Amino acid sequence: MQEMTVYGVSFDLASKQPVVLLRAESGSVFLPIWIGHAEASAILMKLHGSEPPRPMTHDLACSIIRLLDADITKVTVTELRENTFHARITIVRNGDELEVDSRSSDAIALALRAEAAIFAADEVIEESGVEFEGGDPDIDRGLVPPRVEAGEDLGEIDLGEFRKFLDTVSPDEFRAPEEDD
């Protein structure tokens, strides 16, 4: 099992599906996971530090878990079965560890909100991991549609303009914003 970080979210123009790109902590191996639009939005909102006016589903789930005096400690992408990634969410409550089946996209969105570790099984990485020559994918700007700044209220984005952006942007133009040092 390898620890992963969310490198960013991209868009597969061929399938018109968002892709979350996980990066192995130990090197230049990346794990692309095709996800739904709603989950991509939830992941991107957290990556960009945007707060919705009301809790979204993943925010609500984290709040409920905290109210039950429990913590999400990690999520693990456990397998790829029939072209679908499967994951487990590890929740600790009163010293007891609970494992919950999950879609990988939901698990990642929850892990970001709970600041929990993200792991991927070695078999998943061996089967679906991609190693980019030179280390990182050639990505030079983040997922920020025209005239929208990171951190801006995403509820005010013109959806037509955003769709045009998604239709014209290349996958290499997506990444999580870099942290200031």
Side-chain angles (χ1 to χ4, degrees), residues 120-131:
D122 291 330
E123 301 81 35
V124 172
I125 293 170
E126 288 170 19
E127 185 175 348
S128 301
V130 177
E131 188 162 356

Side-chain angles (χ1 to χ4, degrees), residues 70-83:
D71 293 301
I72 297 172
T73 57
K74 70 179 178 181
V75 301
T76 306
V77 180
T78 57
E79 66 179 314
L80 177 62
R81 186 175 359 127
E82 297 176 16
N83 295 321

Side-chain angles (χ1 to χ4, degrees), residues 148-161:
V148 177
E149 298 299 322
E152 182 175 336
D153 182 3
L154 294 178
E156 297 178 14
I157 294 174
D158 179 326
L159 290 179
E161 185 175 321

Side-chain angles (χ1 to χ4, degrees), residues 44-99:
L44 285 169
M45 286 184 74
K46 192 61 182 173
L47 288 175
H48 287 287
S50 297
E51 293 294 325
R54 301 286 300 145
M56 307 251 321
T57 304
H58 298 98
D59 302 307
L60 177 62
C62 281
S63 293
I64 291 169
I65 291 167
R66 279 191 295 274
L67 285 171
L68 294 172
D69 201 27
D71 293 301
I72 297 172
T73 57
K74 70 179 178 181
V75 301
T76 306
V77 180
T78 57
E79 66 179 314
L80 177 62
R81 186 175 359 127
E82 297 176 16
N83 295 321
T84 301
F85 287 94
H86 295 258
R88 308 267 305 157
I89 301 167
T90 303
I91 300 172
V92 175
R93 182 168 186 249
N94 298 330
D96 293 327
E97 199 170 274
L98 308 165
E99 295 283 327

Side-chain angles (χ1 to χ4, degrees), residues 160-176:
E161 185 175 321
F162 186 69
R163 282 190 180 99
K164 279 190 229 172
F165 167 76
L166 290 176
D167 287 339
T168 60
V169 72
S170 75
D172 289 339
E173 295 176 315
F174 287 79
R175 69 170 173 79

Side-chain angles (χ1 to χ4, degrees), residues 34-45:
W34 278 254
I35 61 176
H37 293 277
E39 293 77 16
S41 176
I43 290 168
L44 285 169
M45 286 184 74

